[in-house]
Amino acid sequence: MSIHEVFMPALSSTMTEGKIVSWVKSPGDKVEKGETVVVVESDKADMDVETFYEGFLAHIIVEAGETAPVGSAIAFIAETEAEIEQAKSLANSGGAAATPTSSPEPVAATASAATPALASQNGSNHKEGRLVASPRARKLAKELKVDLTTLQGSGPHGRIVAEDVEALSNKGKQPAPAPAAPVPTSAPVAPPAPPTPAPAPVAAAVPGQIVPLTTFQNAVVRNMVATISVPVFRVGYTITTDGLDKLYKQIKSKGVTMTALLAKAVAVTLQKHPLLNASYSDQGIVYHSDINISVAVAMDDGGLITPVLQNADAVDIYSLSRTWKSLVERARAKQLQPQEYNSGTFTLSNLGMFGVDKFDAILPPGQGSILAIGASRPQVVATPDGLFGVRQQMQVNITSDHRIIYGAHAAAFLQDLAKLIETNPQSLTM
């Protein structure tokens, strides 16, 4: 009997369970090696899961919308149609699939890039505007330079398959016939403008209703609980931002974001304070070779993710800003790769855009410090000549792991950060 189990894959180092977003294939459908069969939501992103076997999707154990632990069986694949009924019987009896080898083999792998999900007849968390295509179709489209967004899939539930790409490519080689009818204007409607910073929308709650946590939210819960065992302390500082604000106005038109400016300022300061970029381990202090700044981003449908600006101290501010915009877009589309959200060495949490004066941030697991940034506001201050003046000032609060970082270390870091922002912000563009 050649019946194989499809296992719930581990899509990240922190993932303990996954949620089925949608089944791309339905029971009885033919599947090919390397073809996507299911889309899984991990604690950070939606990822395509591809089969390593050719055959038929015989039985689905975990339906769309349900969760399963990493490593547990979520479906059966039979190599022949005759074995489909055997697989169903096996599933009903609760037995394990027989495999050709003595040790279990992985039956599925995640695609190299997160791919949008598609609704299936099994039910799913369908999201409008998502594009689903088989790996072969994507590869072929790249080779033939075909825009997948112009295709209507002929596969199951509208999925784009290789034949769709070939058909369009062959059609393009023939004389273009006169259009029989104008293309409906409803299809190429311009996408909505990117949302401006605003509090993440919360699903409308019904009084008395219990709304289950999303996979993202459960991941945040686990991380926050893990921080309880870490002894932390907090230090606050007030920074005058007149120079930084002036610089931002000068280069904003070139695509520079304030988030990138703040991340760059922190990264440059961390060069002088490697201990603040370090983390604790049972073996001692881990000094990281790179300065990777994580920045907290609230997800629209709940949860929190921290895209990482890698080597932020060495990358120029313009490239850093472009990278940040791309990270945010892909984070909210759940398309970040693991290294883009789990490689941070220091975290920023900026609520200044919401008008928050000051707050304390919770230290992420595996890092030594997190900096909470409040809004920059005009304040009446005493000037060195004994008079009063109005200055733009923001309050920052750093939370640090007291096992390796002490008050004097954090204070020295904040002093140097303030000095950079107040006296030499232009150096951030060099």
Side-chain angles (χ1 to χ4, degrees), residues 61-360:
I61 300 172
V62 183
E63 298 288 348
E66 297 178 357
T67 60
V70 168
S72 63
I74 59 176
F76 286 128
I77 288 181
E79 290 191 3
T80 65
E81 285 188 271
E83 293 171 324
I84 292 179
E85 291 302 320
Q86 289 178 287
K88 291 180 180 178
S89 300
L90 191 66
N92 293 332
S93 65
T99 57
T101 58
S102 58
S103 58
E105 291 185 23
V107 181
T110 57
S112 59
T115 309
L118 175 70
S120 75
Q121 63 187 29
N122 303 305
S124 70
N125 297 335
H126 175 66
K127 296 185 179 179
E128 293 299 331
R130 289 187 149 193
L131 173 73
V132 175
S134 70
R136 286 201 308 161
R138 291 179 181 277
K139 182 179 179 181
L140 192 61
K142 186 176 181 181
E143 293 174 354
L144 300 177
K145 297 182 180 180
V146 171
D147 184 359
L148 290 175
T149 61
T150 63
L151 290 177
Q152 175 137 14
S154 62
H157 320 302
R159 191 165 186 261
I160 298 172
V161 294
E163 288 75 12
D164 299 325
V165 180
E166 291 172 346
L168 183 65
S169 177
N170 293 333
K171 182 179 179 181
K173 295 175 182 178
Q174 300 171 358
V183 179
T185 56
S186 58
V189 172
T196 55
V202 180
V206 177
Q209 180 186 20
I210 298 177
V211 180
L213 295 176
T214 65
T215 310
F216 274 22
Q217 290 169 325
N218 275 316
V220 173
V221 170
R222 290 193 297 271
N223 285 341
M224 295 304 98
V225 171
T227 65
I228 295 176
S229 62
V230 179
V232 299
F233 70 97
R234 300 172 176 87
V235 179
Y237 208 95
T238 300
I239 301 177
T240 299
T241 63
D242 290 295
L244 186 67
D245 293 337
K246 182 179 179 181
L247 173 64
Y248 176 59
K249 290 179 181 177
Q250 292 173 346
I251 59 179
K252 180 181 179 180
S253 61
K254 298 179 181 179
V256 174
T257 66
M258 180 56 76
T259 296
L261 274 174
L262 292 170
K264 180 74 171 179
V266 167
V268 170
T269 307
L270 285 173
Q271 291 176 333
K272 301 179 181 179
H273 301 272
L275 183 60
L276 273 292
N277 192 53
S279 59
Y280 170 85
S281 75
D282 292 337
Q283 290 72 40
I285 302 174
V286 180
Y287 286 94
H288 302 288
S289 57
D290 298 326
I291 297 177
N292 299 334
I293 306 298
S294 302
V295 185
V297 173
M299 301 295 289
D300 291 339
D301 56 353
L304 185 74
I305 194 168
T306 51
V308 179
L309 289 167
Q310 299 183 8
N311 299 302
D313 58 321
V315 178
D316 68 88
I317 190 61
Y318 305 103
S319 299
L320 204 64
S321 294
R322 288 192 295 270
T323 298
W324 175 242
K325 288 180 179 179
S326 172
L327 287 170
V328 171
E329 288 173 359
R330 288 185 288 115
R332 289 180 172 156
K334 298 182 181 179
Q335 294 182 346
L336 289 181
Q337 295 300 296
Q339 71 273 14
E340 294 179 314
Y341 58 74
N342 64 12
S343 59
T345 57
F346 187 104
T347 296
L348 292 185
S349 182
N350 182 11
L351 292 180
M353 66 204 53
F354 301 118
V356 174
D357 291 319
K358 69 174 182 178
F359 66 102
D360 292 326

Side-chain angles (χ1 to χ4, degrees), residues 237 239-240 269 272 412-425 427:
Y237 208 95
I239 301 177
T240 299
T269 307
K272 301 179 181 179
F413 166 78
L414 293 177
Q415 278 185 329
D416 284 343
L417 177 63
K419 183 178 179 181
L420 171 62
I421 291 176
E422 292 175 351
T423 65
N424 192 23
S427 64

